[in-house]
Amino acid sequence: MRLFGDPAPSAALPTAAERIRSVLAAAHSMTVVTDGLRSEVRHLDGGDPMGRLHLHPAEPGGHAEHRPTIRLEFTDVAPTPVRDRVRARVTVLGRLLTPYSDLPAGSGAGSGAESTCMEFERAELETAEGVAYVGLEELDEAAPDPLAAYEAGMLTHLLDEHHDLVTLLLRLVQPQPTAAVVRALPLAMDRYGITLRLEERRGHRDVRLAFPSPLDDVEQSGAQIQALFSAARRRSHRNTLPA
């Protein structure tokens, strides 16, 4: 099952590097594997862990091969109670150039710890569509989505307080949902649009609704979301999904 449904031709998607940066920016925990030890770092509180890591390109000739490897693992989980809630897994691999103890496991963000230097090998983005590999230059040039830190709250608010508007958005879905759909939930939101998960008794499919134009700032999200609601109200079709 694809993470995103087949979007309309005008519906752009974040690049793999942008998605990685967004997952990291919104992360509240990560798993660190180094020297054969696996530890959980919790309470990142949305503080991008890459801000506490200095990533360096690999040294020519592999001169850092004697240094301990480090693996940072992140799991992107949908904030709403959809089926198959894991949306993506991100892994950052490399070798330590300074001791990892500069980032004490379990201390959380804001501990005042110095940053750790890491020779970057690669970053991996795993979704239902497959695995994408991202290099250091591409990762450096990418920026987190402007909604990354706010997405969870926005989606849960939409579901909990305005579920009727989620149902309204189904008017924009093509092909239109049939009676086989028993539930529709917001799955994801980024600067380009919102993704709904349409759940049937067996299986589900994801559909992506593009904003009229990409967002540059979270302050623009209200107008873009309202534009989708207005477009849905202008359409008329028989809704078979229970409200």
Side-chain angles (χ1 to χ4, degrees):
M1 184 67 63
R2 292 169 61 89
L3 178 63
F4 295 111
D6 294 332
S10 60
L13 289 168
T15 66
E18 289 171 339
R19 289 205 61 195
I20 289 174
R21 291 300 306 270
S22 296
V23 170
L24 300 185
H28 292 278
S29 65
M30 66 178 175
T31 300
V32 180
V33 183
T34 185
D35 281 338
L37 300 177
R38 188 179 187 90
S39 59
E40 300 294 327
V41 179
R42 304 186 184 278
H43 307 299
L44 294 176
D45 297 327
D48 190 340
M50 302 311 287
R52 298 190 300 280
L53 284 172
H54 285 180
L55 302 181
H56 300 265
E59 296 181 10
H63 296 302
E65 289 185 356
H66 65 285
R67 298 184 182 274
T69 60
I70 183 170
R71 177 186 180 98
L72 309 178
E73 301 174 349
F74 304 83
T75 303
D76 177 31
V77 179
T80 53
V82 296
R83 296 176 186 164
D84 300 334
R85 291 185 65 183
V86 174
R87 302 184 298 189
R89 299 183 191 275
V90 169
T91 305
V92 180
L93 302 106
R95 292 183 180 273
L96 287 173
L97 301 178
T98 59
Y100 175 70
S101 56
D102 289 346
L103 261 177
S107 66
S111 65
E114 297 177 1
S115 60
T116 290
C117 290
M118 171 182 172
E119 182 183 271
F120 181 88
E121 180 181 344
R122 69 180 183 274
E124 300 176 356
L125 173 70
E126 180 183 356
T127 68
E129 296 179 323
V131 179
Y133 301 97
V134 174
L136 181 57
E137 182 177 354
E138 190 178 359
L139 194 64
D140 280 342
E141 292 177 353
D145 191 272
L147 301 186
Y150 309 94
E151 180 202 22
M154 295 170 72
L155 292 181
T156 53
H157 176 78
L158 177 61
L159 179 62
D160 295 341
E161 304 297 333
H162 306 286
H163 189 265
D164 58 317
L165 297 179
V166 177
T167 304
L168 176 67
L169 289 175
L170 295 178
R171 296 185 182 186
L172 300 176
V173 174
Q174 297 295 331
Q176 293 182 358
T178 67
V181 176
V182 297
R183 189 169 70 157
L185 297 172
L187 172 68
M189 187 185 301
D190 55 54
R191 68 190 301 259
Y192 299 107
I194 184 169
T195 302
L196 303 179
R197 174 155 291 174
L198 308 186
E199 298 182 351
E200 301 179 357
R201 297 189 185 280
R202 296 183 179 179
H204 60 262
R205 69 183 178 105
D206 299 337
V207 294
R208 186 165 174 83
L209 305 176
F211 291 141
S213 59
L215 307 179
D216 296 317
D217 187 88
V218 65
E219 299 297 330
Q220 301 171 357
S221 60
Q224 296 288 345
I225 294 170
Q226 288 298 325
L228 284 182
F229 293 151
S230 296
R233 291 187 181 99
R234 290 194 296 268
R235 293 201 179 183
S236 175
H237 89 299
R238 187 177 67 181
N239 178 25
T240 58
L241 181 66

